[in-house]
């Protein structure tokens, strides 16, 4: 593998050094290949090389490692700056004990120190420019032709052996109606490296003011545009600064090395990403794969059956289950409420529709490591456990009278029996419509499993930092609702004399529908869609 020099942009001394240089000894760490690729460099003492390489692998989103030199054999910066930028501009930064102590156009005077140092080559966001062309979008550059602004976030990178720093991101404004086209174009060209890590409100990343980047120059958002953030290789500057090594060098912001390491290409069968809004205040979009979206839509269709013939088909709104599950997937905590009294002449007055679905959802949220609290009527406390504090409220309804179903109030009044009397006024962000409330809870748990098993969504959740596979995946499978678990849950309710909502019977039924048959079949069908068993 070689690195190319461009004579028009390099001084004669650099070319002379290349001629005298022996064959480079560089380890290539890129995978599939395409056209020439720009890279940034980090130069560290050889003793730190193993730790920094591990740090890059643990945070490959902002620090995609293309290659590295062997110590003492070949160090690219010794040849002079190789960049598409002007040669009279600083090309490198010098760090001493974590502090930037100078900007340099050459590292020639440090040739002795460089003999004990290792050069790392990192992919950079300049490779995204091709995606704009493929998506048919004009490039938005900063005023004055500076380099695109980058921002420190409050998102921590995975820590490795003393390397510890926040994620740095670049931002480009994208027309709202072109979001998905650009994301799909960038992913098709660069694979996962082309996927953004955040779309929407910058404060969700801890960025207070887009007009004041930490590096480079801002690109202002115009009306109708949404800020989109990609991980930046400038994260490496923060990593070098955090370690406080006696001497280190990095590329200067905006300066890149053109290499013959090839641009990444999405592997065959790479998942197609889809972009979906999940909140308007604050503005927030999520990303998941098209295959995950399809599975969740299948779940939504399954639970929309109406065995009680109550007319809920008129209440259906597309992708409410998708929106609710995406929102819950991003939440750190959830507040669930259930326990609807329907049999006031009995003790307890609660019905069997509601608690099992809420508990199934709470169990899965807890398996994902989220804080979960459940709020119920005092008389229903024996059926529930309080889990944890903090909350994000979500509603699941089946007949139009549940909390949150105000979103479809007019449809309830027009199409549901006694709709004028039972229609709820309180709206929810997402109204998950199900033939039986419990089914909505089961479907949400299954949708969360699908999302958190999706590599595209998982990378977006963790902002491309940390390991690609979560340690709790086995717990997720165990936490899914099952026929056996839900049968046991319903039997507990029956022991407490909780009745079927429609019939008033104390027995293994919900809304007048038998567990063995109707409900067991629904649970199994949801599981088959979720786990891919058809």
């Amino acid at each position: 593998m070689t690195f190319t020099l461009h004579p028009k942009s390099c001084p004669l001394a650099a070319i002379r050094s290349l001629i005298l240089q022996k064959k480079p000894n560089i380890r290539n760490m890129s995978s599939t290949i395409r056209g020439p690729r720009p890279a940034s460099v980090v130069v560290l003492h050889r003793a730190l090389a193993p730790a920094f390489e591990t740090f890059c692998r643990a945070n490959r989103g902002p620090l995609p490692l293309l290659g590295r030199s062997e110590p003492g054999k070949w160090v690219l910066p010794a040849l002079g700056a190789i960049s598409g930028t002007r040669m009279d501009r600083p090309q490198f930064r010098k760090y001493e004990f974590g502090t930037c102590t100078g900007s340099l156009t050459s590292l020639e005077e440090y040739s002795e120190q460089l003999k004990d140092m290792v050069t790392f080559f990192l992919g950079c966001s300049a490779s995204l420019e091709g995606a704009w062309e493929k998506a048919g979008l004009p490039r938005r550059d900063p005023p004055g032709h500076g380099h695109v602004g980058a921002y420190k976030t409050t998102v921590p990178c995975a820590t490795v052996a003393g390397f510890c720093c926040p994620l740095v991101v670049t931002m480009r404004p994208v027309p709202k109606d072109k979001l998905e086209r650009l994301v799909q174009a960038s992913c098709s060209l660069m694979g996962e490296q082309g996927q953004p890590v955040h779309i929407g409100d910058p404060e969700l990343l801890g960025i207070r003011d887009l007009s004041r980047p930490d590096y480079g120059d801002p690109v202002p958002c115009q009306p109708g545009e949404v800020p989109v953030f990609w991980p930046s290789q400038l994260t490496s500057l923060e990593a070098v600064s955090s370690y406080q090594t006696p001497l280190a060098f990095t590329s200067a912001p905006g300066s890149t090395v053109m290499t013959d390491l090839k641009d990444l290409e999405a592997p065959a069968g790479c998942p197609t990403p889809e972009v979906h809004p999940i909140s308007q205040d604050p503005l927030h979009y999520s990303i998941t794969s098209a295959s995950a979206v399809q599975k969740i839509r299948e779940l939504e269709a399954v639970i929309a059956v109406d065995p009680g013939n109550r007319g809920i088909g008129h209440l259906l709104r597309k992708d409410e289950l998708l929106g609710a599950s995406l929102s819950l997937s991003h939440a750190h905590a959830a507040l669930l409420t259930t326990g609807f009294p329907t049999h006031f002449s009995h003790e307890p007055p609660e019905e069997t529709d509601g608690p099992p679905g809420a508990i199934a959802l709470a169990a899965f949220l807890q398996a994902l490591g989220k804080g979960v609290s459940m709020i119920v009527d005092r008389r229903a406390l024996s059926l529930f456990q309080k889990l944890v504090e903090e909350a994000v409220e979500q509603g699941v309804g089946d007949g139009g009278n549940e909390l949150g179903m105000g979103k479809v109030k007019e449809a309830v009044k027009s199409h549901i029996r006694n709709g004028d009397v039972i229609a709820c006024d309180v709206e929810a962000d997402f109204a998950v419509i199900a033939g039986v409330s419990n089914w909505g809870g089961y479907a949400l748990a299954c949708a969360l499993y699908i999302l958190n098993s999706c590599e595209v969504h998982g990378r977006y959740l963790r902002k491309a930092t940390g390991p690609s596979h979560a340690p709790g995946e086995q717990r997720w499978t165990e936490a899914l609702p099952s026929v056996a678990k839900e049968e046991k849950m319903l039997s507990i309710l029956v022991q407490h004399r909780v009745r079927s909502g429609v019939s008033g019977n104390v027995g293994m039924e919900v809304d007048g529908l038998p567990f063995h048959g109707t409900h067991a079949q629904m649970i199994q069908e949801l599981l088959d869609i979720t786990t891919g068993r058809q």
Side-chain angles (χ1 to χ4, degrees), residues 273-325:
E274 289 192 10
V275 179
H276 293 272
I278 57 174
S279 172
Q280 292 299 317
D281 186 18
L283 184 65
H284 195 192
Y285 289 77
S286 188
I287 295 177
T288 191
S289 68
S291 58
V293 170
Q294 179 59 34
K295 280 190 172 185
I296 293 172
R297 285 175 175 161
E298 289 178 34
L299 296 177
E300 186 172 60
V302 166
I303 64 172
V305 299
D306 187 12
N309 296 315
R310 289 179 290 175
I312 68 163
H314 298 286
L315 313 185
L316 299 177
R317 297 167 63 107
K318 184 181 178 182
D319 287 344
E320 294 289 292
L321 180 63
L322 176 62
S325 56

Side-chain angles (χ1 to χ4, degrees), residues 1 37 173 187 222 253 365 443 477 482 490-491:
M1 187 196 76
R37 181 157 195 183
C187 289
Q222 304 295 338
L365 288 169
T477 303
S482 69
L490 184 56
S491 68

Side-chain angles (χ1 to χ4, degrees), residues 242-360:
S242 73
Y243 198 88
Q244 301 185 359
T245 182
L247 181 65
F249 303 98
T250 69
S251 298
S255 179
T256 60
V257 172
M258 291 306 298
T259 78
D260 74 342
L261 286 170
K262 306 302 183 179
D263 212 357
L264 293 181
E265 182 180 13
C270 185
T272 302
E274 289 192 10
V275 179
H276 293 272
I278 57 174
S279 172
Q280 292 299 317
D281 186 18
L283 184 65
H284 195 192
Y285 289 77
S286 188
I287 295 177
T288 191
S289 68
S291 58
V293 170
Q294 179 59 34
K295 280 190 172 185
I296 293 172
R297 285 175 175 161
E298 289 178 34
L299 296 177
E300 186 172 60
V302 166
I303 64 172
V305 299
D306 187 12
N309 296 315
R310 289 179 290 175
I312 68 163
H314 298 286
L315 313 185
L316 299 177
R317 297 167 63 107
K318 184 181 178 182
D319 287 344
E320 294 289 292
L321 180 63
L322 176 62
S325 56
L326 284 169
S327 182
L328 279 172
S329 186
H330 283 272
H332 296 291
L335 174 65
L336 307 180
T337 181
T338 188
F340 190 80
T342 56
H343 302 290
F344 292 99
S345 60
H346 298 278
E347 183 59 36
E350 278 73 33
E351 63 171 306
T352 52
D353 189 19
I359 291 174

Side-chain angles (χ1 to χ4, degrees), residues 490-527:
L490 184 56
S491 68
I492 292 173
L493 294 174
V494 171
Q495 290 172 16
H496 285 274
R497 307 292 295 174
V498 178
R499 298 170 181 269
S500 173
V502 172
S503 67
N505 292 335
V506 176
M508 297 296 288
E509 66 175 58
V510 179
D511 274 357
L513 304 169
F515 179 84
H516 297 289
T518 302
H519 297 288
Q521 181 178 340
M522 172 60 66
I523 295 165
Q524 191 58 55
E525 190 169 356
L526 294 175
L527 286 174

